[in-house]
């Protein structure tokens, strides 16, 4: 889950031994940036890894944790969206990762 002007969710059934690549899309919203997720192919992920500017997570100054209420609300939202429109999150729900690079 990611938060900007909106909440974005990627629901994946992870399998042991597999590698998964998700791109967090950032785009302009009405008042601030919006976010979303999309799966990447292994080739696209490797290209991105070689071109990206890296940031280091500052453990001394972490961001705030998501509240349990926000987590439950966002989880219920994606479950409702999938039930109402099974194709809406199909790219992420069908994403199975890679056994090797």
């Amino acid at each position: 889950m990611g938060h900007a002007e909106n909440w974005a969710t990627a629901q994946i059934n992870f399998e042991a031994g597999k590698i998964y690549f998700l791109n967090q899309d950032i785009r302009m919203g009405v008042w601030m940036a919006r976010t979303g997720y999309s799966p990447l192919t292994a080739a696209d992920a490797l290209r991105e890894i070689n071109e990206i500017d890296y940031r280091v997570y500052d453990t001394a100054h972490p961001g705030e944790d998501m509240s349990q209420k926000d987590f439950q609300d966002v989880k219920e939202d994606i479950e409702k969206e999938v039930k109402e429109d099974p194709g809406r999150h199909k790219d992420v729900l069908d994403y199975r990762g890679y056994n090797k690079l």
Side-chain angles (χ1 to χ4, degrees):
M1 296 176 183
H3 186 250
E5 184 177 72
N6 64 310
W7 281 102
T9 307
Q11 185 174 356
I12 298 174
N13 293 319
F14 291 106
E15 296 177 39
K18 292 226 175 169
I19 302 167
Y20 298 83
F21 300 101
L22 284 179
N23 183 48
Q24 184 176 16
D25 307 311
I26 306 295
R27 57 197 172 281
M28 192 61 198
V30 175
W31 301 110
M32 56 191 281
R34 294 185 63 79
T35 189
Y37 295 101
S38 56
L40 292 172
T41 65
D44 287 342
L46 290 173
R47 187 184 73 250
E48 293 286 335
I49 288 168
N50 289 323
E51 295 175 1
I52 196 166
D53 291 330
Y54 289 94
R55 305 290 189 261
V56 176
Y57 180 71
D58 184 354
T59 57
H61 301 94
E64 292 182 29
D65 286 339
M66 175 186 257
S67 73
Q68 186 61 36
K69 181 186 180 318
D70 283 343
F71 174 81
Q72 194 62 39
D73 289 348
V74 175
K75 181 176 177 283
E76 289 171 6
D77 285 346
I78 193 171
E79 289 169 352
K80 179 181 175 188
E81 289 171 0
V82 169
K83 185 176 182 181
E84 292 174 354
D85 180 5
R88 182 167 181 184
H89 299 285
K90 189 169 177 40
D91 60 341
V92 175
L93 292 171
D94 290 348
Y95 187 51
R96 296 295 175 250
Y98 300 90
N99 291 321
K100 61 182 178 177
L101 296 180

